[in-house]
Amino acid sequence: MGKIISIVNQKGGVGKTTTAINLSASLAVLDYKVLIVDTDPQANAGSGIGIDSKDQKNNIYSALVGHSKIKDCIIETQIPNLHLISSHIDLAGFELEIVNQVAREYILKEIIQDIKEDYDFILIDCSPSLGLMVINSIVASDSVLIPVQCEYFALEGIAKLQNTIDIIKKRLNPSLVMEGYVLTMYDARTNLSKMVVDDVRKYFDKVCFETIVPRNVKLAEAPSYGVPALLMFSGDKDGEFDIKFLENKGAISYIDLAKELLKRNNLPEIKAIDGTK
């Protein structure tokens, strides 16, 4: 059965969706079958890989409220091995709908079990909060991956987030493990970025990924094309996309992160990619 990983941080703008898109695409390029579940009402994970959530009648919200079966919500993307369950703006009110429901923290877990065995990895892109939907995501997961922006304020919320995860593990999901902290938006020109890296590695040494994601223009531009950074527009008249990641440090960093994730889980690189670690 596949592994479910929630990508979580209650602070916005730290690279959760960028990590969800590019790590998923990298695992798919490495020949693993991957599903992104977008649980953020902003639905950026879908638009970041070229899928408009407004066009999807079957989505994670419709599955959670019982209007759709979870398998009917799965969408194939332009990347082989990579599928998506899109979000919807109605998900913003989902927490109010379930606030009085019994076992409300287990709703996502119950429906996602039906598709877990169909994938090697299921990555859940969470909204920037610690609300009921994020708790549902963590309860449904085998592990949690936390992107940490290399800026001062990004460090302030880590203790609170870690405390929340510990409570969920103790009360709702005893098998939950920490997948690791991923340092993002690193700028080698600034002392602050280096200080944040040192601090995170000092306190979270064993669970901090070695791979550091740099601040990178292509990573920021890629969503406007509706593709991960490892697929950038080739300029062909037919609008085809070519794998160009070896020309981009941001894309390479996510390939390296995917390889490190596989190594941590004692999984082989099914498909070798030259030019990366």
Side-chain angles (χ1 to χ4, degrees), residues 185-248:
M185 303 181 190
Y186 177 76
D187 189 342
R189 299 170 300 177
T190 67
N191 289 329
L192 180 58
S193 282
K194 296 174 183 177
M195 289 171 60
V196 172
V197 170
D198 290 342
D199 286 345
V200 172
R201 286 185 168 168
K202 177 181 177 181
Y203 292 105
F204 305 105
D205 180 37
K206 293 182 179 179
V207 290
C208 187
F209 283 91
E210 287 294 323
T211 303
I212 298 176
V213 179
R215 187 176 293 278
N216 183 263
V217 173
K218 293 297 183 185
L219 285 176
E221 288 180 345
S224 66
Y225 290 98
V227 293
L230 58 80
L231 291 176
M232 290 301 290
F233 191 61
S234 64
D236 293 345
K237 292 182 180 179
D238 295 333
E240 295 180 354
F241 291 83
D242 291 336
I243 291 180
K244 298 283 188 179
F245 60 85
L246 293 180
E247 300 174 9
N248 179 254

Side-chain angles (χ1 to χ4, degrees), residues 108-171:
L108 179 59
K109 181 174 183 175
E110 289 176 3
I111 65 172
I112 210 169
Q113 294 302 311
D114 292 339
I115 57 174
K116 187 175 181 180
E117 63 183 12
D118 297 331
Y119 293 92
D120 299 306
F121 290 97
I122 298 176
L123 270 61
I124 303 177
D125 182 29
C126 297
S127 60
S129 74
L130 291 176
L132 265 176
M133 191 64 246
V134 175
I135 292 172
N136 260 266
S137 299
I138 298 174
V139 170
S141 297
D142 300 302
S143 66
V144 175
L145 187 150
I146 302 175
V148 180
Q149 185 182 7
C150 291
E151 293 186 3
Y152 174 75
F153 288 116
L155 292 173
E156 289 193 332
I158 288 182
K160 182 178 180 181
L161 176 58
Q162 185 64 58
N163 183 56
T164 300
I165 291 170
D166 290 343
I167 292 172
I168 293 172
K169 177 180 173 66
K170 182 178 179 180
R171 298 181 181 177

Side-chain angles (χ1 to χ4, degrees), residues 18-197:
T18 298
T19 297
I21 293 170
N22 289 283
L23 178 56
S24 297
S26 298
L27 288 166
V29 167
L30 290 167
D31 239 11
Y32 282 85
K33 193 170 183 182
V34 186
L35 173 69
I36 303 175
V37 180
D38 189 357
T39 63
D40 187 342
Q42 297 178 80
N44 290 333
S47 61
I49 51 177
I51 295 172
D52 189 344
S53 65
K54 294 190 292 292
D55 298 333
Q56 309 304 320
K57 180 180 178 181
N58 297 323
N59 50 61
I60 191 62
Y61 173 75
S62 65
L64 287 166
V65 296
H67 294 165
S68 304
K69 292 183 178 179
I70 191 75
K71 289 189 176 183
D72 294 335
C73 301
I74 297 170
I75 309 162
E76 290 188 8
T77 73
Q78 60 191 310
I79 303 168
N81 298 320
L82 181 60
H83 294 166
L84 169 78
I85 295 178
S86 66
S87 185
H88 194 275
I89 188 62
D90 288 347
L91 196 62
F94 179 67
E95 293 186 6
L96 292 176
E97 294 179 40
I98 65 169
V99 68
N100 294 318
Q101 188 169 325
V102 176
R104 59 185 181 266
E105 298 91 354
Y106 295 92
I107 299 173
L108 179 59
K109 181 174 183 175
E110 289 176 3
I111 65 172
I112 210 169
Q113 294 302 311
D114 292 339
I115 57 174
K116 187 175 181 180
E117 63 183 12
D118 297 331
Y119 293 92
D120 299 306
F121 290 97
I122 298 176
L123 270 61
I124 303 177
D125 182 29
C126 297
S127 60
S129 74
L130 291 176
L132 265 176
M133 191 64 246
V134 175
I135 292 172
N136 260 266
S137 299
I138 298 174
V139 170
S141 297
D142 300 302
S143 66
V144 175
L145 187 150
I146 302 175
V148 180
Q149 185 182 7
C150 291
E151 293 186 3
Y152 174 75
F153 288 116
L155 292 173
E156 289 193 332
I158 288 182
K160 182 178 180 181
L161 176 58
Q162 185 64 58
N163 183 56
T164 300
I165 291 170
D166 290 343
I167 292 172
I168 293 172
K169 177 180 173 66
K170 182 178 179 180
R171 298 181 181 177
L172 302 170
N173 187 2
S175 62
L176 183 72
V177 298
M178 178 62 69
E179 195 69 47
Y181 292 84
V182 179
L183 291 153
T184 63
M185 303 181 190
Y186 177 76
D187 189 342
R189 299 170 300 177
T190 67
N191 289 329
L192 180 58
S193 282
K194 296 174 183 177
M195 289 171 60
V196 172
V197 170

